[in-house]
Amino acid sequence: MTRRLSLFNVTALVLGFAFLYLPILLLVVYSFNASRLVTVWGGFSTQWYGALFRNQALMEAAWVTLRIALLSASLATVLGTLAALALTRYGRFPGRTLFTGMVYAPMVMPEVITGLSLLLFFVAIDLDRGFWTITLAHTTLTLCFVTVVVQSRLMTFDRSLEEAAMDLGAPPLRTFFSVTLPLIAPSIVAGFLLAFTLSLDDLVIASFNTGPGATTLPIRIYSQVRLGLSPEVNAASTILIGIVTLGVVSATLLSKRSVLRSRRNAH
Amino acid sequence: MTGRTLTRRLTEGLVPAVPYLWLGVLFLVPFLIVLKISLSDPAVAQPPYRPVFEWGDIAGFFGGLDLENFELLTQDDLYLTATLSSVRIAAVSTLLLLLVGFPVAYGMARAPERYRSLLVALVILPFWTSFLIRIYAWVAILKPEGFLTQALMGLGLISEPIEILNTETAVYIGIVYAYLPFMVLPLYATLEKMDDTLLEAALDLGSPPWRSFWTITVPLAMPGIVAGSLLCFIPAVGEFVIPDLLGGSETLMIGRQLWSEFFSNRDWPLASSVAILLLIVLVVPIVIYRDVEARRVETRP
């Protein structure tokens, strides 16, 4: 049967999405504002983008952030995929309940607690705070998100393919690399992108675990925002939004293509 | 043959062991350290606390522990007030999120099927965009000479700039805005699966729409309502960025308190005690959330 969209439904959708997008839209539009006053339109200009690229501190912060995000997302993808395999393919192993708890808890744990506890741990083991401590912290947080994304894919796919490969004598590692991995690849990519953007975005955990020479972009933006609105931050935000939008759109297209392909194969 | 079973056993052992060990060392151990430090005394040193654990000095370990920091927490009204006000702000926000999120999720579930995945993608997209940036965007909207005042003055609805920034109202707006995807997506997931014939049957039998809503739609959407509410409530209690950027100095929240104990007062043991306090408040909702989530994932076909 077809569902009808009532006037009420349409209004809710329009208002809901306007609420979600209007603030971002304003931010993007006003990054092209010629005026230094962030909320007063003074004509079109791209001068803040120029200023942004000449701002040594911001560019350095962006570079540090990017390196941390790439490294921690890669580590988190490997660890998260292993965790997802453990949860879906290994049945009841000792300490499974604790393991599930440790996977789900960091996702809802307030960031201030995660940040503080990791910092105290790094101090206790005498690890200098900086690039590596943020990377380790981000890996720990984001691997949980990768686990959930990959796990949901592992739950839905056809086990008989793996079993067929095993029956034909393929060893487990070979089965994994030639059967399982290609099938779950889109979810691994999606997990990586999620981990990457979470790391790119994080202020609280990074603030606790940062050290000399490891000021990330969110930390830099936060300290500028505290001093007042700045059109340069608008420009930086617009670039970030652009990158993220591009990433999400390509990830969506990627997973859609793989769904189409698996549908085609099924026929 | 033995070689093969050996590699099989090895890989089988390694797959859970590696992430297990990682989370154990970098999630569980840090946690125990917070607990330990919350029980130790502050010191003017680097790091600014007196260690309570020396290897080989077990007696000293138990002797050095005290509840002094927690006594301080109970003596100073500030922490209790901040905790209660965090829970109140998070609860009100969750309620507002339900009020805003339900109609949106319902509309999405009723939209023609070919548009649904696009709508879901549109809800997720802002969540991927920097949290900090999205909150920052609201500063420009809510400040006295900001976009909201300009728009309302342009419409002739107000003549004076309205004071929203640096109030609790701004914090509510910020939380509802930032967490809306967390509420909409679980609600949509349950509403989308709902069988419409139930509503039609109710209508045929003469039930007015509002009654069908309360007796059919809401109970069927309950798993989504619970998941969405927990997903919003738990992080909202410990929120730092939103009250810090949008709230005023009178907006007390426990996450912000922890932050200032740590960064401004440099009292690490007290900050740790505040973290434990926050955790105690959240332990029940987190356990419920974990069960709900684990059940949801494991019963999926």
Side-chain angles (χ1 to χ4, degrees), chain B residues 237-263:
Chain B
V237 173
E239 187 52 60
F240 162 75
V241 177
I242 297 173
D244 194 61
L245 290 180
L246 300 178
S249 49
E250 83 283 4
T251 312
L252 279 179
M253 283 190 82
I254 190 88
R256 208 178 173 191
Q257 209 55 49
L258 192 161
W259 182 281
S260 71
E261 283 317 332
F262 181 83
F263 286 102

PDB file of all heavy atoms in Angstrom, chain B residues 237-263:
ATOM      1  N   VAL B 237      24.252  14.997  29.472  1.00  0.00           N
ATOM      2  CA  VAL B 237      24.560  15.246  30.889  1.00  0.00           C
ATOM      3  C   VAL B 237      26.003  15.712  31.044  1.00  0.00           C
ATOM      4  O   VAL B 237      26.297  16.612  31.822  1.00  0.00           O
ATOM      5  CB  VAL B 237      24.309  13.977  31.745  1.00  0.00           C
ATOM      6  CG1 VAL B 237      24.793  14.177  33.169  1.00  0.00           C
ATOM      7  CG2 VAL B 237      22.831  13.628  31.753  1.00  0.00           C
ATOM      8  N   GLY B 238      26.913  15.096  30.276  1.00  0.00           N
ATOM      9  CA  GLY B 238      28.325  15.439  30.423  1.00  0.00           C
ATOM     10  C   GLY B 238      28.806  16.469  29.423  1.00  0.00           C
ATOM     11  O   GLY B 238      30.004  16.685  29.282  1.00  0.00           O
ATOM     12  N   GLU B 239      27.872  17.126  28.740  1.00  0.00           N
ATOM     13  CA  GLU B 239      28.225  18.060  27.675  1.00  0.00           C
ATOM     14  C   GLU B 239      29.113  19.196  28.191  1.00  0.00           C
ATOM     15  O   GLU B 239      28.878  19.757  29.253  1.00  0.00           O
ATOM     16  CB  GLU B 239      26.928  18.624  27.077  1.00  0.00           C
ATOM     17  CG  GLU B 239      27.095  19.473  25.849  1.00  0.00           C
ATOM     18  CD  GLU B 239      27.897  18.803  24.766  1.00  0.00           C
ATOM     19  OE1 GLU B 239      27.504  17.723  24.281  1.00  0.00           O
ATOM     20  OE2 GLU B 239      28.941  19.357  24.417  1.00  0.00           O
ATOM     21  N   PHE B 240      30.127  19.518  27.396  1.00  0.00           N
ATOM     22  CA  PHE B 240      30.989  20.649  27.765  1.00  0.00           C
ATOM     23  C   PHE B 240      30.911  21.797  26.757  1.00  0.00           C
ATOM     24  O   PHE B 240      30.714  22.952  27.127  1.00  0.00           O
ATOM     25  CB  PHE B 240      32.457  20.196  27.906  1.00  0.00           C
ATOM     26  CG  PHE B 240      33.415  21.344  27.856  1.00  0.00           C
ATOM     27  CD1 PHE B 240      33.546  22.198  28.943  1.00  0.00           C
ATOM     28  CD2 PHE B 240      34.156  21.620  26.715  1.00  0.00           C
ATOM     29  CE1 PHE B 240      34.392  23.290  28.902  1.00  0.00           C
ATOM     30  CE2 PHE B 240      35.008  22.711  26.654  1.00  0.00           C
ATOM     31  CZ  PHE B 240      35.135  23.545  27.759  1.00  0.00           C
ATOM     32  N   VAL B 241      31.047  21.479  25.473  1.00  0.00           N
ATOM     33  CA  VAL B 241      31.164  22.520  24.449  1.00  0.00           C
ATOM     34  C   VAL B 241      29.927  23.418  24.408  1.00  0.00           C
ATOM     35  O   VAL B 241      30.043  24.649  24.371  1.00  0.00           O
ATOM     36  CB  VAL B 241      31.406  21.883  23.056  1.00  0.00           C
ATOM     37  CG1 VAL B 241      31.461  22.944  21.977  1.00  0.00           C
ATOM     38  CG2 VAL B 241      32.695  21.083  23.055  1.00  0.00           C
ATOM     39  N   ILE B 242      28.732  22.808  24.438  1.00  0.00           N
ATOM     40  CA  ILE B 242      27.500  23.594  24.301  1.00  0.00           C
ATOM     41  C   ILE B 242      27.296  24.575  25.460  1.00  0.00           C
ATOM     42  O   ILE B 242      27.126  25.764  25.230  1.00  0.00           O
ATOM     43  CB  ILE B 242      26.283  22.664  24.092  1.00  0.00           C
ATOM     44  CG1 ILE B 242      26.449  21.888  22.784  1.00  0.00           C
ATOM     45  CG2 ILE B 242      24.980  23.478  24.061  1.00  0.00           C
ATOM     46  CD1 ILE B 242      25.403  20.835  22.543  1.00  0.00           C
ATOM     47  N   PRO B 243      27.327  24.113  26.730  1.00  0.00           N
ATOM     48  CA  PRO B 243      27.167  25.108  27.802  1.00  0.00           C
ATOM     49  C   PRO B 243      28.299  26.126  27.824  1.00  0.00           C
ATOM     50  O   PRO B 243      28.101  27.271  28.222  1.00  0.00           O
ATOM     51  CB  PRO B 243      27.150  24.269  29.084  1.00  0.00           C
ATOM     52  CG  PRO B 243      27.688  22.954  28.713  1.00  0.00           C
ATOM     53  CD  PRO B 243      27.387  22.747  27.271  1.00  0.00           C
ATOM     54  N   ASP B 244      29.481  25.725  27.379  1.00  0.00           N
ATOM     55  CA  ASP B 244      30.607  26.651  27.426  1.00  0.00           C
ATOM     56  C   ASP B 244      30.468  27.760  26.394  1.00  0.00           C
ATOM     57  O   ASP B 244      30.751  28.915  26.692  1.00  0.00           O
ATOM     58  CB  ASP B 244      31.916  25.893  27.208  1.00  0.00           C
ATOM     59  CG  ASP B 244      33.115  26.743  27.572  1.00  0.00           C
ATOM     60  OD1 ASP B 244      33.191  27.129  28.748  1.00  0.00           O
ATOM     61  OD2 ASP B 244      33.933  27.028  26.686  1.00  0.00           O
ATOM     62  N   LEU B 245      30.033  27.425  25.184  1.00  0.00           N
ATOM     63  CA  LEU B 245      29.957  28.435  24.132  1.00  0.00           C
ATOM     64  C   LEU B 245      28.615  29.167  24.102  1.00  0.00           C
ATOM     65  O   LEU B 245      28.551  30.332  23.752  1.00  0.00           O
ATOM     66  CB  LEU B 245      30.230  27.818  22.761  1.00  0.00           C
ATOM     67  CG  LEU B 245      31.668  27.359  22.491  1.00  0.00           C
ATOM     68  CD1 LEU B 245      31.787  26.782  21.100  1.00  0.00           C
ATOM     69  CD2 LEU B 245      32.654  28.496  22.670  1.00  0.00           C
ATOM     70  N   LEU B 246      27.535  28.467  24.460  1.00  0.00           N
ATOM     71  CA  LEU B 246      26.215  29.097  24.351  1.00  0.00           C
ATOM     72  C   LEU B 246      25.642  29.521  25.700  1.00  0.00           C
ATOM     73  O   LEU B 246      24.845  30.446  25.768  1.00  0.00           O
ATOM     74  CB  LEU B 246      25.225  28.154  23.650  1.00  0.00           C
ATOM     75  CG  LEU B 246      25.573  27.726  22.219  1.00  0.00           C
ATOM     76  CD1 LEU B 246      24.528  26.772  21.685  1.00  0.00           C
ATOM     77  CD2 LEU B 246      25.691  28.925  21.303  1.00  0.00           C
ATOM     78  N   GLY B 247      26.021  28.810  26.756  1.00  0.00           N
ATOM     79  CA  GLY B 247      25.446  29.104  28.066  1.00  0.00           C
ATOM     80  C   GLY B 247      26.165  30.258  28.748  1.00  0.00           C
ATOM     81  O   GLY B 247      27.286  30.616  28.396  1.00  0.00           O
ATOM     82  N   GLY B 248      25.488  30.845  29.724  1.00  0.00           N
ATOM     83  CA  GLY B 248      26.101  31.923  30.484  1.00  0.00           C
ATOM     84  C   GLY B 248      26.856  31.370  31.680  1.00  0.00           C
ATOM     85  O   GLY B 248      26.942  30.162  31.869  1.00  0.00           O
ATOM     86  N   SER B 249      27.391  32.294  32.463  1.00  0.00           N
ATOM     87  CA  SER B 249      28.160  31.845  33.620  1.00  0.00           C
ATOM     88  C   SER B 249      27.261  31.153  34.648  1.00  0.00           C
ATOM     89  O   SER B 249      27.738  30.366  35.460  1.00  0.00           O
ATOM     90  CB  SER B 249      28.870  33.039  34.264  1.00  0.00           C
ATOM     91  OG  SER B 249      27.951  34.085  34.457  1.00  0.00           O
ATOM     92  N   GLU B 250      25.950  31.432  34.592  1.00  0.00           N
ATOM     93  CA  GLU B 250      25.073  30.803  35.590  1.00  0.00           C
ATOM     94  C   GLU B 250      24.609  29.414  35.154  1.00  0.00           C
ATOM     95  O   GLU B 250      23.970  28.715  35.916  1.00  0.00           O
ATOM     96  CB  GLU B 250      23.868  31.714  35.919  1.00  0.00           C
ATOM     97  CG  GLU B 250      22.699  31.634  34.973  1.00  0.00           C
ATOM     98  CD  GLU B 250      22.964  32.404  33.675  1.00  0.00           C
ATOM     99  OE1 GLU B 250      24.088  32.931  33.477  1.00  0.00           O
ATOM    100  OE2 GLU B 250      22.042  32.474  32.855  1.00  0.00           O
ATOM    101  N   THR B 251      24.931  29.024  33.903  1.00  0.00           N
ATOM    102  CA  THR B 251      24.563  27.689  33.446  1.00  0.00           C
ATOM    103  C   THR B 251      25.558  26.672  34.006  1.00  0.00           C
ATOM    104  O   THR B 251      26.657  26.527  33.501  1.00  0.00           O
ATOM    105  CB  THR B 251      24.577  27.605  31.910  1.00  0.00           C
ATOM    106  OG1 THR B 251      23.873  28.719  31.379  1.00  0.00           O
ATOM    107  CG2 THR B 251      23.927  26.329  31.427  1.00  0.00           C
ATOM    108  N   LEU B 252      25.147  26.025  35.072  1.00  0.00           N
ATOM    109  CA  LEU B 252      26.038  25.061  35.716  1.00  0.00           C
ATOM    110  C   LEU B 252      25.856  23.697  35.082  1.00  0.00           C
ATOM    111  O   LEU B 252      24.759  23.180  35.026  1.00  0.00           O
ATOM    112  CB  LEU B 252      25.707  24.958  37.197  1.00  0.00           C
ATOM    113  CG  LEU B 252      26.270  26.031  38.110  1.00  0.00           C
ATOM    114  CD1 LEU B 252      25.818  25.778  39.532  1.00  0.00           C
ATOM    115  CD2 LEU B 252      27.796  26.034  38.040  1.00  0.00           C
ATOM    116  N   MET B 253      26.951  23.128  34.589  1.00  0.00           N
ATOM    117  CA  MET B 253      26.873  21.741  34.139  1.00  0.00           C
ATOM    118  C   MET B 253      28.125  21.029  34.589  1.00  0.00           C
ATOM    119  O   MET B 253      29.208  21.593  34.648  1.00  0.00           O
ATOM    120  CB  MET B 253      26.670  21.655  32.630  1.00  0.00           C
ATOM    121  CG  MET B 253      25.224  21.963  32.240  1.00  0.00           C
ATOM    122  SD  MET B 253      24.838  21.605  30.530  1.00  0.00           S
ATOM    123  CE  MET B 253      24.521  19.840  30.566  1.00  0.00           C
ATOM    124  N   ILE B 254      27.955  19.733  34.886  1.00  0.00           N
ATOM    125  CA  ILE B 254      29.014  18.978  35.538  1.00  0.00           C
ATOM    126  C   ILE B 254      30.239  18.809  34.629  1.00  0.00           C
ATOM    127  O   ILE B 254      31.380  18.850  35.086  1.00  0.00           O
ATOM    128  CB  ILE B 254      28.448  17.628  36.035  1.00  0.00           C
ATOM    129  CG1 ILE B 254      29.419  16.891  36.927  1.00  0.00           C
ATOM    130  CG2 ILE B 254      27.986  16.734  34.922  1.00  0.00           C
ATOM    131  CD1 ILE B 254      29.299  17.272  38.347  1.00  0.00           C
ATOM    132  N   GLY B 255      29.996  18.653  33.302  1.00  0.00           N
ATOM    133  CA  GLY B 255      31.112  18.494  32.370  1.00  0.00           C
ATOM    134  C   GLY B 255      31.982  19.746  32.349  1.00  0.00           C
ATOM    135  O   GLY B 255      33.213  19.692  32.293  1.00  0.00           O
ATOM    136  N   ARG B 256      31.307  20.878  32.419  1.00  0.00           N
ATOM    137  CA  ARG B 256      32.016  22.147  32.440  1.00  0.00           C
ATOM    138  C   ARG B 256      32.793  22.305  33.743  1.00  0.00           C
ATOM    139  O   ARG B 256      33.896  22.865  33.769  1.00  0.00           O
ATOM    140  CB  ARG B 256      30.960  23.232  32.335  1.00  0.00           C
ATOM    141  CG  ARG B 256      31.409  24.491  31.699  1.00  0.00           C
ATOM    142  CD  ARG B 256      30.231  25.411  31.635  1.00  0.00           C
ATOM    143  NE  ARG B 256      30.615  26.720  31.172  1.00  0.00           N
ATOM    144  CZ  ARG B 256      29.804  27.771  31.235  1.00  0.00           C
ATOM    145  NH1 ARG B 256      28.594  27.633  31.755  1.00  0.00           N
ATOM    146  NH2 ARG B 256      30.205  28.929  30.799  1.00  0.00           N
ATOM    147  N   GLN B 257      32.198  21.822  34.838  1.00  0.00           N
ATOM    148  CA  GLN B 257      32.840  21.885  36.146  1.00  0.00           C
ATOM    149  C   GLN B 257      34.127  21.065  36.159  1.00  0.00           C
ATOM    150  O   GLN B 257      35.161  21.507  36.640  1.00  0.00           O
ATOM    151  CB  GLN B 257      31.853  21.354  37.197  1.00  0.00           C
ATOM    152  CG  GLN B 257      32.025  21.953  38.566  1.00  0.00           C
ATOM    153  CD  GLN B 257      31.963  23.465  38.507  1.00  0.00           C
ATOM    154  OE1 GLN B 257      31.049  24.006  37.905  1.00  0.00           O
ATOM    155  NE2 GLN B 257      32.947  24.124  39.086  1.00  0.00           N
ATOM    156  N   LEU B 258      34.017  19.850  35.561  1.00  0.00           N
ATOM    157  CA  LEU B 258      35.186  18.976  35.479  1.00  0.00           C
ATOM    158  C   LEU B 258      36.292  19.674  34.696  1.00  0.00           C
ATOM    159  O   LEU B 258      37.451  19.681  35.100  1.00  0.00           O
ATOM    160  CB  LEU B 258      34.774  17.673  34.784  1.00  0.00           C
ATOM    161  CG  LEU B 258      35.745  16.492  34.822  1.00  0.00           C
ATOM    162  CD1 LEU B 258      34.968  15.222  34.509  1.00  0.00           C
ATOM    163  CD2 LEU B 258      36.887  16.615  33.845  1.00  0.00           C
ATOM    164  N   TRP B 259      35.906  20.263  33.584  1.00  0.00           N
ATOM    165  CA  TRP B 259      36.859  20.957  32.715  1.00  0.00           C
ATOM    166  C   TRP B 259      37.578  22.059  33.494  1.00  0.00           C
ATOM    167  O   TRP B 259      38.802  22.183  33.436  1.00  0.00           O
ATOM    168  CB  TRP B 259      36.108  21.536  31.519  1.00  0.00           C
ATOM    169  CG  TRP B 259      36.961  22.246  30.513  1.00  0.00           C
ATOM    170  CD1 TRP B 259      37.451  23.515  30.611  1.00  0.00           C
ATOM    171  CD2 TRP B 259      37.419  21.750  29.254  1.00  0.00           C
ATOM    172  NE1 TRP B 259      38.178  23.833  29.497  1.00  0.00           N
ATOM    173  CE2 TRP B 259      38.180  22.773  28.638  1.00  0.00           C
ATOM    174  CE3 TRP B 259      37.256  20.545  28.570  1.00  0.00           C
ATOM    175  CZ2 TRP B 259      38.769  22.620  27.392  1.00  0.00           C
ATOM    176  CZ3 TRP B 259      37.849  20.397  27.332  1.00  0.00           C
ATOM    177  CH2 TRP B 259      38.598  21.419  26.754  1.00  0.00           C
ATOM    178  N   SER B 260      36.833  22.875  34.240  1.00  0.00           N
ATOM    179  CA  SER B 260      37.484  23.994  34.919  1.00  0.00           C
ATOM    180  C   SER B 260      38.306  23.519  36.121  1.00  0.00           C
ATOM    181  O   SER B 260      39.347  24.093  36.417  1.00  0.00           O
ATOM    182  CB  SER B 260      36.470  25.072  35.304  1.00  0.00           C
ATOM    183  OG  SER B 260      35.668  24.620  36.350  1.00  0.00           O
ATOM    184  N   GLU B 261      37.851  22.452  36.818  1.00  0.00           N
ATOM    185  CA  GLU B 261      38.694  21.894  37.891  1.00  0.00           C
ATOM    186  C   GLU B 261      40.038  21.464  37.315  1.00  0.00           C
ATOM    187  O   GLU B 261      41.082  21.624  37.933  1.00  0.00           O
ATOM    188  CB  GLU B 261      38.063  20.656  38.543  1.00  0.00           C
ATOM    189  CG  GLU B 261      36.932  20.863  39.515  1.00  0.00           C
ATOM    190  CD  GLU B 261      37.126  21.992  40.507  1.00  0.00           C
ATOM    191  OE1 GLU B 261      38.283  22.305  40.836  1.00  0.00           O
ATOM    192  OE2 GLU B 261      36.113  22.565  40.934  1.00  0.00           O
ATOM    193  N   PHE B 262      39.960  20.892  36.116  1.00  0.00           N
ATOM    194  CA  PHE B 262      41.173  20.346  35.528  1.00  0.00           C
ATOM    195  C   PHE B 262      42.060  21.426  34.923  1.00  0.00           C
ATOM    196  O   PHE B 262      43.243  21.523  35.237  1.00  0.00           O
ATOM    197  CB  PHE B 262      40.819  19.311  34.460  1.00  0.00           C
ATOM    198  CG  PHE B 262      42.024  18.684  33.837  1.00  0.00           C
ATOM    199  CD1 PHE B 262      42.651  17.624  34.457  1.00  0.00           C
ATOM    200  CD2 PHE B 262      42.556  19.181  32.658  1.00  0.00           C
ATOM    201  CE1 PHE B 262      43.794  17.063  33.911  1.00  0.00           C
ATOM    202  CE2 PHE B 262      43.697  18.629  32.104  1.00  0.00           C
ATOM    203  CZ  PHE B 262      44.312  17.568  32.743  1.00  0.00           C
ATOM    204  N   PHE B 263      41.463  22.279  34.057  1.00  0.00           N
ATOM    205  CA  PHE B 263      42.285  23.225  33.313  1.00  0.00           C
ATOM    206  C   PHE B 263      42.566  24.519  34.075  1.00  0.00           C
ATOM    207  O   PHE B 263      43.670  25.048  33.996  1.00  0.00           O
ATOM    208  CB  PHE B 263      41.648  23.549  31.955  1.00  0.00           C
ATOM    209  CG  PHE B 263      41.783  22.428  30.957  1.00  0.00           C
ATOM    210  CD1 PHE B 263      40.712  21.589  30.696  1.00  0.00           C
ATOM    211  CD2 PHE B 263      42.975  22.206  30.302  1.00  0.00           C
ATOM    212  CE1 PHE B 263      40.848  20.546  29.793  1.00  0.00           C
ATOM    213  CE2 PHE B 263      43.115  21.164  29.396  1.00  0.00           C
ATOM    214  CZ  PHE B 263      42.048  20.333  29.144  1.00  0.00           C
TER     215      PHE B 263
END
